[in-house]
């Protein structure tokens, strides 16, 4: 699951990240925080387009893989490509989960869950913080 030799393409110091990101964005993207459920900008969004990493602008998810799971955060059944995200074992909060990070800049996006029975092409639910994403609606028109 986790690569020992991983090096992100985008490398910045924590001070540089703090200058680029708002305090709320920094708390989620760089400190693996979580936004409150049902409050995020993209929770109910159905607009077509590409979802990019808010920290580095890498395209991560497409709107046609977004589905309503009613969990409180935007959910997708697959990333754009497996090389766009990376996975880490997360044992915080008294449970074992799989954390999802941007492969380009190593920012925290959310978690992925499997085996929940959603009617999607995969058996996966990528539960992603809205604050980790930016929707590029122009990508849908191209």
């Amino acid at each position: 699951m986790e690569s020992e030799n991983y090096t992100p393409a985008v490398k910045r110091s924590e001070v540089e990240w703090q200058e680029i990101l708002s305090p709320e964005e920094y708390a989620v993207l760089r400190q693996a925080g979580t936004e409150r459920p049902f409050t995020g900008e993209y929770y109910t969004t159905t607009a077509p387009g590409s979802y990019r990493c808010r920290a580095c602008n890498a395209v991560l998810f497409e709107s046609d893989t977004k589905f309503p799971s009613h969990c409180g955060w935007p959910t997708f059944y697959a990333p754009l490509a497996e090389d766009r995200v990376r996975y880490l074992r997360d044992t915080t909060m008294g449970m074992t989960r799989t954390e999802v990070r941007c492969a380009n800049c190593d920012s925290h996006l959310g978690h992925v869950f499997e085996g929940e029975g959603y009617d999607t092409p995969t058996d996966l639910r990528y539960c992603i913080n809205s604050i980790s994403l930016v929707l590029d609606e122009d990508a849908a028109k191209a």
Side-chain angles (χ1 to χ4, degrees):
M1 179 186 341
E2 189 172 342
S3 171
E4 292 179 24
N5 298 321
Y6 169 75
T7 303
V10 174
K11 297 177 224 166
R12 292 190 170 104
S13 71
E14 291 309 305
V15 171
E16 290 172 311
W17 284 121
Q18 289 173 334
E19 290 172 354
I20 293 167
L21 302 170
S22 72
E24 296 81 10
E25 292 166 348
Y26 183 82
V28 173
L29 288 156
R30 304 308 305 168
Q31 297 179 314
T34 302
E35 66 191 355
R36 289 190 345 257
F38 306 102
T39 63
E41 178 181 6
Y42 301 121
Y43 168 60
T44 59
T45 299
T46 58
S50 297
Y51 286 87
R52 297 178 174 273
C53 175
R54 189 173 298 266
C56 73
N57 210 34
V59 178
L60 303 171
F61 299 94
E62 292 294 329
S63 61
D64 60 358
T65 65
K66 189 172 187 284
F67 70 100
S69 69
H70 309 291
C71 69
W73 294 272
T75 52
F76 304 84
Y77 62 77
L80 178 65
E82 279 301 317
D83 66 348
R84 302 300 176 106
V85 297
R86 61 181 242 138
Y87 305 96
L88 288 90
R89 185 170 185 239
D90 179 0
T91 57
T92 62
M93 311 282 282
M95 62 184 106
T96 300
R97 303 178 291 174
T98 302
E99 179 183 2
V100 180
R101 290 185 176 225
C102 174
N104 195 50
C105 70
D106 203 35
S107 288
H108 173 77
L109 303 171
H111 292 85
V112 62
F113 303 94
E114 63 182 316
E116 298 177 318
Y118 287 101
D119 185 21
T120 61
T122 67
D123 193 26
L124 302 172
R125 175 176 59 97
Y126 286 80
C127 185
I128 307 298
N129 290 287
S130 286
I131 203 165
S132 297
L133 302 171
V134 173
L135 175 58
D136 180 1
E137 292 185 54
D138 291 335
K141 299 171 190 159

